[in-house]
Amino acid sequence: TQLLEQSPQFLSIQEGENLTVYCNSSSVFSSLQWYRQEPGEGPVLLVTVVTGGEVKKLKRLTFQFGDARKDSSLHITAAQPGDTGLYLCETGANNLFFGTGTRLTVIP
Amino acid sequence: DTGVSQNPRHKITKRGQNVTFRCDPISEHNRLYWYRQTLGQGPEFLTYFQNEAQLEKSRLLSDRFSAERPKGSFSTLEIQRTEQGDSAMYLCASSSLDRLRTTQYFGPGTRLLVL
């Protein structure tokens, strides 16, 4: 059983569109992190959410942690080609558990 | 400091050969981690060190895999008698404890292809 389920697995949209990707689990987490990974590179941390219901914004990216701390979403407004990449959610302490990721392609 | 570095970036080898990868963490980070990532999946934890001590190993780390961090700085990951199923991206990360949690910084990875 996958600890973190991400959906959709693949997403291809036109530049300027909005999108939301999801990270779900049956477990409760003390914190959850989102990363973006570009081809041929390692994941880069975007944000950490720790409080149920918390909303954090990073420019055009809005991250939300579910009230029960079992799920999270990432919303991108007016997507740009530079947003293309693999978006991963993750939880854990010393050994991190990653979701399967959402591969986003933004078409110019 | 330019972040975590890994060498080589790419490695192609024949089945049965041994390969060794190197990771240089961010200086003064006392923790170093190895992950494996296959196509279409998120990274999977392999092992981690605190200074030179290897504190945890995943069941994914078979007997053919060995990791070392002899002086508590750089680390090496060796795979003996490589198999085609070992083909993956091998990621290294390093961290130091902060107030809230351990934030790991990833290197660019070594992509291994076993023919």
Side-chain angles (χ1 to χ4, degrees):
Chain A
T1 302
Q2 188 71 29
L3 184 64
L4 293 171
E5 297 283 350
Q6 290 191 244
S7 61
Q9 188 175 0
F10 298 96
L11 186 58
S12 182
I13 62 170
Q14 294 289 329
E15 182 176 0
E17 293 183 352
N18 301 334
L19 66 113
T20 302
V21 300
Y22 300 92
C23 175
N24 296 294
S25 176
S26 57
S27 302
V28 177
F29 303 116
S30 59
S31 67
L32 191 137
Q33 306 202 124
W34 284 92
Y35 296 76
R36 181 172 67 216
Q37 184 178 20
E38 298 186 13
E41 300 295 329
V44 175
L45 179 66
L46 297 174
V47 77
T48 299
V49 286
V50 295
T51 305
E54 181 178 7
V55 176
K56 282 192 174 179
K57 292 192 174 184
L58 185 65
K59 297 184 181 178
R60 295 175 293 101
L61 278 60
T62 302
F63 303 85
Q64 185 162 8
F65 203 13
D67 291 341
R69 290 185 287 125
K70 292 183 177 182
D71 54 85
S72 182
S73 64
L74 159 58
H75 181 80
I76 301 179
T77 304
Q80 299 178 359
D83 296 328
T84 293
L86 178 67
Y87 288 82
L88 295 159
C89 62
E90 168 269 310
T91 191
N94 296 319
N95 46 327
L96 306 183
F97 294 97
F98 285 88
T100 51
T102 292
R103 188 166 297 281
L104 171 66
T105 302
V106 181
I107 303 167
Chain B
D1 191 294
T2 57
V4 179
S5 62
Q6 294 187 244
N7 289 288
R9 294 292 308 273
H10 304 274
K11 179 69 177 179
I12 300 175
T13 191
K14 292 183 179 179
R15 188 176 53 187
Q17 298 293 306
N18 299 344
V19 294
T20 300
F21 311 140
R22 176 177 169 129
C23 171
D24 287 89
I26 294 172
S27 58
E28 298 174 358
H29 276 187
N30 60 352
R31 290 190 171 185
L32 187 148
Y33 310 78
W34 285 99
Y35 294 83
R36 182 177 71 184
Q37 185 176 25
T38 53
L39 204 60
Q41 300 294 321
E44 297 173 293
F45 170 79
L46 293 178
T47 188
Y48 93 94
F49 293 83
Q50 180 158 312
N51 300 313
E52 66 276 8
Q54 188 172 16
L55 296 187
E56 189 168 346
K57 293 193 291 186
S58 161
R59 59 179 175 79
L60 294 175
L61 212 65
S62 76
D63 291 344
R64 295 184 297 105
F65 288 69
S66 62
E68 295 182 345
R69 195 183 183 199
K71 298 181 180 180
S73 56
F74 73 92
S75 176
T76 58
L77 177 66
E78 181 183 17
I79 309 175
Q80 296 181 326
R81 305 180 303 281
T82 52
E83 302 173 355
Q84 288 182 324
D86 297 331
S87 296
M89 172 82 90
Y90 289 85
L91 292 162
C92 174
S94 71
S95 75
S96 61
L97 290 173
D98 59 22
R99 291 185 296 114
L100 294 177
R101 58 157 284 163
T102 303
T103 299
Q104 298 188 19
Y105 297 87
F106 285 83
T110 294
R111 184 169 293 282
L112 172 66
L113 177 61
V114 182
L115 301 175

